[in-house]
Amino acid sequence: MKSKIWTKENLQTLIKENMSDYEFVVDSSRQPYVHVFKKGKIECQRGAGGVVTALDPILRACNGLWVAYGNGDADGKVTDANGKIRVPHDDPSYTLKRVWLTKEEEDGFYYGYANQALWPLCHLAFQRPVFKNSDWEYYCEVNKKFARMVLDEIGDKKAFIWIQDYHFTLLPKYLKEMAPSQLIIAHFWHIPWPNHEVFRICPQKHQILEGLLASDLLGFHIRYHCDNFMDTVDRELQCKINRERFSVIKGDHETLIRPYPISVDFEGLRDIATSPEVRKAMKALSQEYDLSGKKLIIGVDRIDYTKGIPERMLAIDRLLEMHPALKGEIVFMQMGVISRIHIPRYRELNDQVNALVEDINWKHSTADWDPIILARRHLSFHELLALYRMCDICVISSLHDGMNLVAKEFVSSRVNEDAVLVLSRFTGAARELEDAVSINPYNREEFANSLYKALNLSREERKKRMKKMRAVVLNNNIYRWAGKILSELLKFEFQE
Ligand code: GDG
C-alpha cells in the first residue's frame, strides 16, 4: 500500500492540533537565519539544508523558539538585549534566540571538542580525534549555557525540546536536571554513530552517553547507527536494553532509539528546478565555465576530509589514464565551500585539493581543455539547482556520511530523469538510493571504472534508474522525517 505523502501543510496541522498548549523549542548550532554585512548593508540569509527546510515551517506554525549560536557578523545589530529577534523578517512568526559565545568558547566548544574530537571520532575517515581537556570544559560550559538560555525563555511552561546534533550531547541531561518534569526531549544525531570498538577510546564516553540518554527519543539516520549506539551503551553503562521496544532504560528513565532518514523537500526542489531563474543560471554557468558540448561531472561539498574529494579527483585522473579518448570530451567540476578553516586538518586538505587539481590538469590538459574545474565559491540556491540540472553525472564519494543531502537534492532536481548518480556505499543515502551507481571511494580502480560505466549507461537505463530514485525521495521527503519524529514525541506524556 502506498503511504501518504507528507507535506508542509499536514506537518503544520499536526503541530497546531497537538502542540498549542505547549512551548516548542529547537536547539542547534546553526541558525535558520543569519544576518551579515554586505556592501555596508545588513542582509538576512536563510540557512541552507534539510534541517532549516523542515523545522522553519514547524516553528512558524506553533510560534516556537529556535535557540542557536549567533555567528553572523551583523547578528548582534538586529537582536534585542536578550539576543532575540522575530523571524522571518517579512512574516515574523517565531523567535530566534541567539546565544553569544566568546572567542574562547567558540574555539573550545565548536572548533575544538565538537569538530576535532566528536566529528573525527564518529566518521571512519582515519582522522585521529583530538581530545583536549580544555576543549571538553568549554564544551560542557556551552551546553550548560544553552540549557540556561532555554529555561530562561520557557519559564515554568511545559515544553517539547528538539535538539540537533553532536554539538549538544550534554544538553538533554542539563535540561532535565534543571527542570525534570516539564520537558519532553528529542535529540537527532546527524552524523554516523561508530561501533563500540571506535567509540570506547573517547575519554568522556560515559558523560556523553549519559547526556544523550536523558532524552526521551534519540534519532539516527539509519538502523545501523541505532544498533551501534545500543551496542555501545550496552557495553559501557549499567542499564537495561529493551530489544523489543528498541529502547535503553537507565535508572527509571527510558530513551527510545529510532531510525529517521533525513531528506529534502522533493516537490519544492522539483518546482524551483524548472523556474526561469534556474534556466537563467544554467545559461550563465555554461558560459562562465565554457561547459557546452562536454559531458559534465559535478561534485558539490563543504571541503571536508570525510567527503572523499581527493579520492574523487584521483578517480578522474585514473579514468583519463585508462580512456585518453575522453580528453576534451568530459569535464569534472568541483564546487567547494570552504569549511572549518580554523582547524589545521581542513587547511591541509585545502592545500592537498589545490595541488591535486594542478597536477591532474597539468598531466592531462590539451591546448584548450582542462579536465578539472575547481570553483571555491558558495553557489546561490538557483545556481546549485542549475548545476544539478546541467550535469550528466553527480558524484558523491564520501568516506563516511550520516546521510548526504546533495544526493537527494540532485535526484529531486532531475526533472528530465536523464542523469546518473554515482554514490559512495558509505553514505546513509546509499541505503535508500539503490539505483545509483555504487562505489567504494577507497578503491581507485573500481571508482574510475564506475565513472566510465556511468558515462556509458544507455539513455533508457539512466532514466529507469533516476525514475526509481525520484519515487523514493518523493515518498521519503523531509516532511515525513519531521512528521515521524514529532508523531513519536507526541506519544510521551508530561510528568505531573
Ligand atoms: C550533516 C551530515 C547529513 C553545499 N555547497 C553549497 C550548498 N551546499 C549545501 C548542500 C546541502 C548541504 O550544503 C550539505 O549537506 P550534506 O548532507 O551533504 O552534508 P553536511 O553538511 O556534512 O551535513 C550529513 C546532514 O547533516 C543532514 O542530516 O546528511 O550526512 O554530515 O544541502 O546543498 N548550498 C548552496 N551553495 C553551495 O555552494 N546554496
Side-chain angles (χ1 to χ4, degrees):
M1 201 182 70
K2 241 181 137 209
S3 53
K4 83 167 176 181
I5 305 273
W6 279 86
T7 62
K8 186 181 353 184
E9 289 70 33
N10 49 41
L11 193 55
Q12 289 186 318
T13 309
L14 175 81
I15 289 279
K16 282 187 183 144
E17 285 176 0
N18 298 283
M19 288 200 173
S20 49
D21 294 339
Y22 308 104
E23 296 291 302
F24 185 70
V25 184
V26 169
D27 269 288
S28 68
S29 73
R30 272 197 232 163
Q31 313 183 72
Y33 297 92
V34 187
H35 287 87
V36 291
F37 282 112
K38 270 263 168 83
K39 294 184 186 148
K41 284 201 177 130
I42 295 181
E43 198 180 284
C44 176
Q45 297 177 346
R46 188 171 185 268
V51 175
V52 175
T53 309
L55 300 187
D56 186 72
I58 298 181
L59 288 178
R60 287 184 196 215
C62 64
N63 186 13
L65 170 72
W66 191 317
V67 184
Y69 102 80
N71 59 342
D73 55 9
D75 276 350
K77 300 278 180 231
V78 293
T79 46
D80 68 13
N82 290 319
K84 288 195 283 188
I85 177 173
R86 296 286 291 171
V87 288
H89 68 278
D90 53 350
D91 175 24
S93 338
Y94 68 94
T95 302
L96 167 62
K97 173 153 178 124
R98 290 176 168 148
V99 177
W100 311 118
L101 299 186
T102 62
K103 198 141 216 146
E104 291 75 22
E105 284 172 335
E106 194 177 0
D107 256 344
F109 155 75
Y110 183 79
Y111 290 107
Y113 203 80
N115 284 312
Q116 290 188 76
L118 288 176
W119 178 267
L121 179 72
C122 293
H123 287 91
L124 300 187
F126 302 93
Q127 174 63 30
R128 191 179 167 135
V130 181
F131 301 105
K132 280 197 206 153
N133 271 343
S134 55
D135 287 349
W136 170 250
E137 279 158 21
Y138 278 116
Y139 183 85
C140 298
E141 263 320 298
V142 171
N143 272 252
K144 248 181 225 155
K145 191 167 182 170
F146 268 74
R148 281 194 302 267
M149 295 286 175
V150 170
L151 293 172
D152 279 354
E153 289 306 317
I154 60 173
D156 53 9
K157 287 183 236 121
K158 293 199 182 327
F160 289 98
I161 315 268
W162 189 353
I163 300 169
Q164 310 293 323
D165 231 352
Y166 61 100
H167 312 88
F168 296 114
T169 57
L170 307 175
L171 185 52
K173 182 164 177 270
Y174 292 146
L175 283 168
K176 285 273 172 98
E177 278 171 0
M178 295 180 199
S181 61
Q182 71 181 92
L183 307 176
I184 291 177
I185 301 181
H187 193 298
F188 190 82
W189 191 260
H190 289 264
I191 63 176
W193 189 277
N195 63 26
H196 174 245
E197 195 79 358
V198 171
F199 190 78
R200 68 176 179 169
I201 67 164
C202 175
Q204 294 80 20
K205 58 190 173 184
H206 289 165
Q207 291 99 308
I208 287 175
L209 293 172
E210 281 162 6
L212 287 169
L213 286 173
S215 317
D216 299 288
L217 175 65
L218 178 56
F220 296 90
H221 290 302
I222 58 174
R223 180 66 180 239
Y224 183 64
H225 299 154
C226 297
D227 288 341
N228 279 347
F229 180 80
M230 298 272 271
D231 184 47
T232 307
V233 169
D234 199 14
R235 287 160 188 259
E236 290 294 341
L237 298 181
Q238 288 284 351
C239 56
K240 195 169 152 234
I241 303 289
N242 186 332
R243 301 265 165 208
E244 198 73 7
R245 283 174 56 76
F246 222 72
S247 68
V248 179
I249 299 156
K250 186 158 186 313
D252 57 3
H253 182 258
E254 180 178 33
T255 309
L256 297 186
I257 315 296
R258 295 283 183 274
Y260 301 105
I262 201 170
S263 191
V264 296
D265 176 9
F266 178 92
E267 291 170 292
L269 289 165
R270 177 195 63 196
D271 296 346
I272 301 170
T274 51
S275 67
E277 289 87 348
V278 168
R279 274 201 296 277
K280 207 168 134 202
M282 287 168 77
K283 235 190 220 155
L285 285 167
S286 177
Q287 276 172 2
E288 183 181 350
Y289 294 104
D290 188 21
L291 301 174
S292 127
K294 296 173 192 110
K295 292 241 181 196
L296 176 62
I297 306 173
I298 62 160
V300 176
D301 311 80
R302 282 186 303 104
I303 304 278
D304 191 293
Y305 55 82
T306 61
K307 301 290 181 185
I309 299 166
E311 286 73 4
R312 200 176 300 169
M313 292 182 169
L314 289 167
I316 294 285
D317 175 35
R318 186 72 191 116
L319 174 73
L320 291 167
E321 280 174 7
M322 292 195 289
H323 304 284
L326 290 174
K327 291 187 184 185
E329 300 290 313
I330 61 163
V331 65
F332 170 59
M333 190 160 171
Q334 174 66 49
M335 307 303 298
V337 193
I338 302 271
S339 178
R340 303 175 193 165
I341 200 68
H342 302 304
I343 299 176
R345 178 65 182 95
Y346 285 76
R347 286 203 293 273
E348 262 169 53
L349 176 68
N350 271 299
D351 294 345
Q352 186 191 2
V353 167
N354 282 339
L356 273 171
V357 175
E358 274 299 314
D359 290 351
I360 297 169
N361 279 348
W362 176 249
K363 180 166 155 190
H364 297 286
S365 63
T366 63
D368 57 358
W369 172 82
D370 279 331
I372 302 183
I373 300 171
L374 173 63
R376 280 185 183 286
R377 68 178 176 92
H378 184 269
L379 295 166
S380 74
F381 187 53
H382 290 133
E383 286 177 315
L384 180 71
L385 298 197
L387 263 193
Y388 289 150
R389 274 200 60 191
M390 287 160 77
C391 70
D392 295 280
I393 298 175
C394 176
V395 195
I396 289 155
S397 51
S398 313
L399 306 181
H400 204 190
D401 216 331
M403 176 54 66
N404 193 290
L405 291 177
V406 171
K408 293 185 173 181
E409 290 166 1
F410 167 62
V411 166
S412 310
S413 311
R414 276 324 282 231
V415 274
N416 74 350
E417 297 168 351
D418 190 8
V420 185
L421 175 64
V422 172
L423 180 62
S424 162
R425 270 166 227 154
F426 312 130
T427 59
R431 311 282 165 128
E432 291 169 86
L433 303 176
E434 291 174 350
D435 288 280
V437 171
S438 160
I439 52 151
N440 169 357
Y442 290 94
N443 185 342
R444 188 173 174 201
E445 228 41 43
E446 184 212 70
F447 194 165
N449 284 329
S450 299
L451 286 173
Y452 192 69
K453 172 181 164 184
L455 284 166
N456 290 289
L457 283 182
S458 69
R459 184 159 185 270
E460 197 192 355
E461 179 68 17
R462 295 194 295 262
K463 289 195 124 187
K464 194 174 95 194
R465 286 170 178 253
M466 187 56 80
K467 208 186 201 74
K468 285 205 209 154
M469 292 192 285
R470 285 172 63 77
V472 170
V473 184
L474 168 65
N475 192 41
N476 297 341
N477 64 14
I478 186 68
Y479 302 116
R480 184 185 180 84
W481 173 78
K484 291 274 170 193
I485 295 177
L486 288 182
S487 307
E488 192 66 62
L489 206 54
L490 285 168
K491 291 184 198 157
F492 290 91
E493 285 182 8
F494 288 97
Q495 290 170 27
E496 286 314 318

